[in-house]
Amino acid sequence: MPRPRSESARQAVLEAMRAALSSSGYEAVTIEGLAEAAGVSKQTIYRWWPSKAAILGEALLEGSLPAIDLPMTDDLAADLRALFTVQDDGETVALARALIAVTATDPELGVRLNERLAAPIREWTTERMARGVASGEVRADVEASVVADQLIALGSYGALLGVPLGQERADALSDLVLRGISR
């Protein structure tokens, strides 16, 4: 019979993951480094989590999330371009790839992560589409939840490929979305 999980050891590993993300970035995180920082053995970590991506998923679910500064101006095109740019740095791409891996291997955790991590983009999209409808930029029949899903999917696809979108693609994607929702 396996030993029960020590809650203090689990919390120490999750905190070590959050600290490593802040200081070094996801790509630099190693199981060895997490074990050392948490004061546990590598065997303990491997017994509880199948990968560093799984640790990341749990750490993000239970910890505070980095604030995402999403634009809300009078220029919908600029706001969309800025949204794609926010998702476009190398560290965000690495994190997104790890989260895609977690989602693929643990659907339940993936659903919970999606609910938590996608919420700011869904909320932003709902408010931004409502403002766009009120200003006459966006058709009244545009469903904000569908637009939010597409914005998240476009960013996720870039992460899945492992490359930032780049400014040219961000501009092209923004134009494509605008053509679909504009009055």
Side-chain angles (χ1 to χ4, degrees), residues 54-178:
I55 301 168
L56 170 67
E58 197 168 323
L60 289 175
L61 275 177
E62 293 188 15
S64 62
L65 296 176
I68 300 173
D69 187 24
L70 299 174
M72 191 70 70
T73 69
D74 291 334
D75 186 346
L76 178 57
D79 287 354
L80 286 171
R81 281 191 294 281
L83 172 68
F84 288 122
T85 303
V86 164
Q87 303 176 50
D88 205 31
D89 66 85
E91 184 57 30
T92 302
V93 170
L95 279 171
R97 284 181 66 113
L99 293 172
I100 290 169
V102 169
T103 300
T105 58
D106 187 342
E108 182 182 315
L109 180 60
V111 167
R112 292 186 356 236
L113 279 168
N114 183 52
E115 287 171 2
R116 180 141 193 238
L117 299 175
I121 295 173
R122 291 183 191 290
E123 292 166 8
W124 177 86
T125 303
T126 299
E127 184 175 342
R128 193 61 192 87
M129 292 303 103
R131 285 182 177 201
V133 168
S135 70
E137 293 176 282
V138 175
R139 293 189 334 265
D141 65 338
V142 169
E143 202 169 320
S145 64
V146 173
V147 174
D149 286 344
Q150 296 308 304
L151 296 175
I152 293 165
L154 290 167
S156 297
Y157 181 67
L160 191 59
L161 293 176
V163 294
L165 292 173
Q167 191 62 54
E168 190 174 307
R169 280 191 67 123
D171 291 345
L173 289 171
S174 299
D175 291 344
L176 180 68
V177 170
L178 282 172

Side-chain angles (χ1 to χ4, degrees), residues 11 40-41 79:
Q11 288 299 325
V40 301
S41 70
D79 287 354

